[in-house]
Every structure is written in structure tokens, then in C-alpha cells.
Amino acid sequence: MTAQELRDSYINFFKQHGHSEIVSASLIPENDPTVLFTTAGMHPLVPYLLGETHPAGRRLVDCQKCLRTGDIDEVGDANHLTFFQMLGNWSLGDYFKRESITMSHAYLTEALGIPQDRISVTVFAGDESAPRDEESADIWKSLGYPAERIHYYGKNENWWGPAGVTGPCGPDTEIFYDTGKPACGEHCDPSCGCGKHVEIWNNVFMQYFKDAEGSFTPLKQKNVDTGLGLERVLCIMNGQPSVYGTEQFAPIIAAIERLTGTKYEAQTQRAYRVAADHLRSSVFILGDDKAVSPSNVDQGYILRRLIRRAYRYLSQMHAPAGAMAQIAEVIIAHYGADYPELERNRAFVLAQLRHEEEAFGKALEQGLRMANKYIDRAQSGRLAAEEAFRLYDTYGFPLELTVELANERGFSVDAEGFEKLFAAHQEKSRAGAAQKFKGGLADHSDATAKLHTATHLLNAALRKVLGDGVFQRGSNITPERLRFDFSFDRKMTPEEIAEVQRLVNVSIAAAAAIHCDEMTVEEAKESGAIGVFTDKYGERVKVYTMGGFSKEICGGPHAANTAELGSFKIQKEEASSAGVRRIKAVITG
Ligand code: SER
């Protein structure tokens, strides 16, 4: 079975059960200050889980691009990945436990033909915030699952979300596939982590909101949020022991073999896997329509870590100059049909990889010498935080690289101390990436909704003053301020800044009511709306109109009237990355 066949079978199954297909959202979250990347299919759907209406309806299905770097150190084993594709289906206040579990069961056993006796499930054991989920257990039983394959666990195992500090969450029921490996002992079960049972699907019953005080209150509606790991299921369907053995990776592995003249075998396996995974992730980040460039902050820093780590493993295998870009070509060719943005952004992806290779290539050799010197003289088998930080600061060594070098020689690194120095350093420029990556979803308060409205007005004003060549490249909103990135290749003059600010304030003073209309992408285009147009024909979107000033495709939520914004002030205009400027602004409303 190919990835394409698996994706099609999933999407079609849920379409037959009344779901509308939506396209994968960007890997870079919109308007969300607290997560750097989309880590699950539910992220772009948070407003709808909280009660906004979705233009495609109350039953949705998709295949979402996701990136998680929490387990980056595990990459290299059989199944850990940073970038992955999550198949998901949602009920936005529509069906609940019975339909969700019944559909999952039918999809796995009937559509995919997985023998039912290879499947175990887990359900929430109950605590002070929610009752024991006997309802889900009973549904599983009614479908023929014996009690010994239904396991009850607590919050650690059977509760999902919020993705950050606050947001929608709820108990879940997880579905595990028995790989057929021998049990690790008498108590071998889905929670033991020995690898016999692999988690393939998570059905979350999102019915609570966790607030900043840690209390759980019922949401307006009961939702279902599920996620099925495409790469993992592909592995199972093809009887592969590792995701790297599937067609998702075969061409990448072959390209590394060709370029390095080495073989993918036990000895080189880890290096191959890290390089293949990290480059695949990097291509998807760089190839996103909201592409970021390697840098020392936020998404750019994660990207830089991925690229540099891949580069280091490739250079250990004596890959020639330009190897990363050549492997990227293979990745784009393999994934481009399903993700046309990769083709669209091909030139950018290749140029950025070449540039980063050049920048880091020079520093690597010198840095390696320095690292070895530090390790030689390290006391007590541990490299000091200051030295790890110097390697980062002077030679661009990501922490993982220093840790690996030290570990290879039987040393450890004061990683905690490094994180502190790193955070202090980041604080000087911006809040720390590592911290933020652990953070939560944006709140959806009135303050952020108003700032979100302000970004639409700002976007329109920028295009008026600087021309139609200006496009939004990113947006990040906290309750205190907005930050807006846009394509423009020089510093704005003070007059231009003043004029943009004035235009936004004129739109606010006009006290225009804000309307939201649902239409197809084609209709939105015709109506003159701006925004990211998806590639899917006929997809329904929301278009927000703010008086005669702004018409933009967007998920919301927004203020009801521009007057709510009070007044608008630009605090800063600065460079963000090559060809991209950044504005920080506040409102008083
Ligand atoms: N949000 C849940 C997860 O990421 C289900 O999609 O596992």
C-alpha cells in the first residue's frame, strides 16, 4: 500500500460518512504566539472546537502536515520522526463517542483489513476532573473487544490537550496495534513502551476547556478530535519494521546512498535516518507558503538545528558539497504532487539549503576542533554549559550536536545550564524558542480577536501604501500586541509608517461592521479577497469584510465592529529575514 492509497482510503471512508475534506493548514501556525509549529491536526481547528462555525460543516477530515521536535533525540530509531502526516477526522459538536469509536473500528478492520485481535484499546480511568469512561469501554465491548484488551489509564495516558497551557481538551481512547513481538513480561500492555503495542490512533473527546488556573469547564459543544499517524500505519500495512523502510523514505535513502557512496546498513543506519528525517522536515518548513528561513530565533532556529544536524551526519559520510540541495530535489519530486507548495517554493528551498550549508560548512571543521579541545580538558566527564554555549555562539553548534560529540567520547554536557544561557541570550532579542515550543495555544480572548482584526486592517493599509506586491508572511498575536510579517524589500520610511498607521485609524474611526461570508475559494478570489488560497477546487472558506477597507480569507474570530479597536499604534518596523519586514503594533481598544 502506498501513502497515497492510505490517504485516499481514509479520506474517502470519512467522506462516505458525511465528512468534508479540508486541506492541510500551514506548518507555521497563524496568529498563534505560543506554538512554533503545527503539531496536530486540531491546532488550526481550535476556534471551531471552541464554537465558531466552520464553513465546511460539522464533520471534517484531512491529512495535516505536523512537526514535533520534542523527541528529536529519539530520531534515528525505527519510528521517531520530526515531520509527519496526521490523518484526522473531527466532529464539531456533531457525533460523539459511539459514532467515533464505531467508525474507527470499521475503518481499521474493514477498510484496512487489520485483524481485530491485533487491536487493543485504552480508555480514561477517571479522576476529579472527569468520570471513568465506562461509556467508551462499553462501546468497545459491544463491538467485540474483550475486557482484557480494554485498558484503563489515568490523565498521563488517556487525556489529550490542551496543546499548551489553556485550551480545549478531554479524555481520549487510544488504539494500539499488536506488532506480534513477544510480550516483554507478565505485565506487558499498551503502556509498557516495549514496542509490542504501537499506538496508531487517538480519539479525543474534547468537551472541556482548561483555563489558566488549571480548572476544567465544559465546552459549549462536545467535539471529537482524532489523529492517525500516516507513516506508522503505512509501516503496519506493509509489514515494515521501520518507517524508513516505507516508500515515504526509500527515495531519500537511495539518494543518500548515491551521493555518499555508502550503504544503508546497521552501521550507518542512524546517520541515514537522522539526515533523511531532518531534511524531509526542513524541506517542508522551507517549502511552506509561510516559509521561514534559518535564523537564531523561533521557527528559524528549529529549522537551523534540523539542517545543521543533517549536514553534520552527511559530512561524516563524506557527502559532496551541495548534497543537501540534491536530496531536497528528490524530496520535492516525491512529495510535490500531494504538496504543490513544495514545487512552488522549490527555488527558495534549494537556495536556503545551499546558503546554510555554506554558512555552517566553514564553521563545522573549526568548531569540531574546538569541541574536541573542550572535551579533552573537561573535568568530571562533563562539558560545562559555558563551553557548549560558546560552541553555539561562535560556531553555530546546536546543543544536540555538542551532546552527540560529547557522548561519542563518553562525556555528558550540562544541558540545563546551556538552556539557561540560551534563554538569557534569547531574552535579549525575543522570548526563547525552546520555552515557546513548550507553550500553549493562543488564547481566544476579546483582546486577541481585536488585534487579529487590526492585522487585517494593517495588511490592507500596507498594500495601499506600499503596493500590491506586499503579502502577509506571518502573524503572531499575544493579548498585548500584534506582530505582522510581510514581503517588502527595504526599510519603510517614517512617512510610510505614519501613513499606514493613519489609514488603519481611519478604518477604526469609520466604525465599520465586520461581516463574515462563506463561499468557495473561487468565489473568494473573484470577490477580490486576499489571503492564502488553497489548491483545492471548490473548498469553502470564510471571508471577512471590514467596511470598504479590507476583504480577507480567514478563520476568525474577529471583533464585530472596527470601532472596538480604539486606536492603533505602530511601535516598530524592522527586518525579519531577507525580503521580509516586521511590524509590531498595539491597540488601545
Ligand atoms: N490531537 C490528538 C493527537 O494529537 C488527536 O488528533 O493525538
Side-chain angles (χ1 to χ4, degrees), residues 340-361:
E341 64 272 23
L342 301 182
E343 292 285 1
R344 263 200 302 279
N345 299 314
R346 162 197 297 275
F348 180 76
V349 175
L350 302 182
Q352 292 288 324
L353 286 172
R354 288 198 193 102
H355 182 266
E356 191 64 12
E357 176 175 316
E358 230 166 78
F360 186 53

Side-chain angles (χ1 to χ4, degrees), residues 406-538:
N407 288 350
E408 276 163 21
R409 297 189 44 191
F411 283 68
S412 67
V413 178
D414 178 3
E416 225 169 89
F418 174 92
E419 293 295 357
K420 277 197 194 122
L421 292 173
F422 183 77
H425 169 84
Q426 291 283 78
E427 206 51 53
K428 284 185 209 142
S429 49
R430 241 187 306 282
Q435 186 54 36
K436 229 182 247 183
F437 198 61
K438 286 186 204 126
L441 283 169
D443 71 319
H444 290 267
S445 62
D446 285 355
T448 56
K450 284 182 204 167
L451 280 161
H452 189 183
T453 301
T455 63
H456 281 220
L457 298 175
L458 172 61
N459 194 358
L462 283 167
R463 290 168 63 87
K464 240 190 203 136
V465 175
L466 304 177
D468 285 351
V470 167
F471 290 101
Q472 171 169 349
R473 295 304 299 269
S475 156
N476 176 298
I477 296 170
T478 70
E480 289 78 35
R481 56 108 183 106
L482 68 85
R483 200 179 81 191
F484 187 77
D485 290 356
F486 57 100
S487 51
F488 194 55
D489 57 9
R490 63 165 170 81
K491 192 166 176 52
M492 287 172 72
T493 64
E495 293 74 30
E496 286 166 340
I497 294 173
E499 180 59 8
V500 167
Q501 180 171 301
R502 191 187 70 80
L503 285 176
V504 174
N505 281 313
V506 166
S507 335
I508 294 172
I514 296 169
H515 295 289
C516 174
D517 300 294
E518 292 182 9
M519 55 187 86
T520 64
V521 175
E522 291 70 25
E523 287 162 348
K525 252 187 210 169
E526 265 164 40
S527 79
I530 57 168
V532 179
F533 291 95
T534 59
D535 298 293
K536 212 177 120 241
Y537 184 79

